[in-house]
Amino acid sequence: MSKIAGKQFGDRVVLGAAILLALVWMAPLVWVFMLSFKPNAFLMQHTDVLFSGPFTLKNYRDIIGTSSVFGWIWNSIVVSVGTTFFTLVLASLAGYGFARTEFPGKKYVFFIVLCGLAVPEQAIVIPLHRMFAEWDMHNTYRALILPKLAAPFGVYLMTQYFKAIPKDIEEAALLDNTPRWKIFLRVVLPLSIPAQATLGIFTFLGAWNDYLWPLISASQSDMYTLTLGLAATQTNFAQSEGLGYLMSQAVFAGLPIFVLYLFFQKYIVQAVAGTTVR
């Protein structure tokens, strides 16, 4: 409080607005979290009582008691980690190529890559489904990972970050006839860790929460991801009477993402602030 009191009036207004927006953003999360501990019978009559009334862990016990839930968690981990790893590798290589090398038609190729940002996932679902069906790859990890590796945002992010790294750092190594791949691995890549952490978090988040493509590609329950598996336990969201169970599903599926963000949030702040490369 003493720090807030010492700030100028303008800073106090901005800080107050930021706190207000944070509270507005947190309100539905708190609502979902608290309802997940309420009995379903109680929620049929009261959904506005958050901090009082009966509490129960039955909703979470029902989730853990689902026979396939740990298999779904494993599938989500494999798909999310695999997608994140290969996206980082491909985006880093492509970004370094666009930022530091010259080849014919580079600006046109980069423009085509950026055009991928304008293509929604829904527009390519049918061609992807037919292509993977012809390859007989549905209900495999490859089918769940490969379509996500085309990441134009990641290429753009890494390209811009590599461009911000001073060329003097590389030129000193080039004068010693150091191969470019060694410069990339030992000099440039370590400097891009904040950008890679940011891209990795967003990629992991997108892969973990993805619902549309696993719904189309994974028709066997043993290949369901966590989001698809939990959704499959609900027959009809609109007519569901298990509101507490539904809220506990949301918390259960989002908890790993929340923990991941807690560990890597400093890298996101560094990447946005641009304080790593000076």
Side-chain angles (χ1 to χ4, degrees):
M1 293 300 293
S2 60
K3 294 182 177 179
I4 296 177
K7 292 182 178 298
Q8 299 295 326
F9 177 75
D11 294 337
R12 295 180 187 178
V13 172
V14 173
L15 184 60
I19 293 175
L20 180 62
L21 289 175
L23 292 176
V24 171
W25 177 78
M26 290 182 60
L29 299 181
V30 174
W31 186 75
V32 169
F33 183 75
M34 297 306 297
L35 290 193
S36 69
F37 291 99
K38 300 287 187 181
N40 291 315
F42 177 80
L43 292 176
M44 292 179 66
Q45 299 178 346
H46 306 282
T47 57
D48 55 348
V49 180
L50 300 183
F51 302 103
S52 61
F55 292 93
T56 180
L57 294 175
K58 182 178 182 303
N59 297 323
Y60 289 95
R61 288 199 298 267
D62 290 343
I63 292 178
I64 297 178
T66 304
S67 60
S68 301
V69 68
F70 292 105
W72 299 338
I73 292 175
W74 173 250
N75 291 340
S76 288
I77 292 174
V78 172
V79 172
S80 301
V81 172
T83 302
T84 303
F85 174 77
F86 288 112
T87 297
L88 289 177
V89 172
L90 295 176
S92 298
L93 291 173
Y96 184 75
F98 283 122
R100 284 292 194 264
T101 62
E102 296 294 336
F103 56 87
K106 185 178 81 171
K107 64 179 181 180
Y108 300 108
V109 175
F110 189 62
F111 175 76
I112 294 174
V113 171
L114 293 184
C115 287
L117 291 170
V119 180
E121 180 185 11
Q122 293 80 1
I124 58 175
V125 161
I126 294 178
L128 280 176
H129 177 268
R130 295 189 61 177
M131 185 168 64
F132 281 90
E134 291 178 359
W135 293 344
D136 194 23
M137 289 177 59
H138 284 306
N139 292 303
T140 64
Y141 289 132
R142 290 172 294 166
L144 294 174
I145 292 175
L146 285 177
K148 301 297 179 183
L149 301 186
F153 171 75
V155 175
Y156 173 76
L157 177 67
M158 297 309 301
T159 300
Q160 297 305 112
Y161 200 88
F162 286 137
K163 284 183 178 178
I165 297 176
K167 291 184 177 180
D168 297 345
I169 298 176
E170 293 180 77
E171 289 174 350
L174 287 172
L175 290 176
D176 293 336
N177 294 323
T178 304
R180 187 170 284 277
W181 66 271
K182 285 187 177 179
I183 298 175
F184 173 72
L185 291 177
R186 298 179 180 178
V187 179
V188 179
L189 203 58
L191 293 175
S192 67
I193 288 178
Q196 293 192 50
T198 303
L199 176 61
I201 289 173
F202 284 124
T203 304
F204 188 91
L205 181 65
W208 185 274
N209 290 330
D210 188 26
Y211 177 76
L212 178 60
W213 179 243
L215 176 66
I216 295 172
S217 180
S219 58
Q220 299 174 1
S221 62
D222 61 338
M223 286 303 301
Y224 284 177
T225 57
L226 182 60
T227 53
L228 182 59
L230 292 178
T233 63
Q234 288 283 341
T235 56
N236 189 324
F237 284 101
Q239 300 175 358
S240 175
E241 295 179 351
L243 183 59
Y245 182 63
L246 187 63
M247 297 297 106
S248 63
Q249 287 180 332
V251 175
F252 191 79
L255 190 60
I257 298 298
F258 179 73
V259 173
L260 183 72
Y261 177 78
L262 289 181
F263 279 103
F264 290 95
Q265 61 174 324
K266 69 175 184 179
Y267 293 111
I268 295 179
V269 174
Q270 288 177 354
V272 173
T275 57
T276 302
V277 180
R278 296 177 183 275

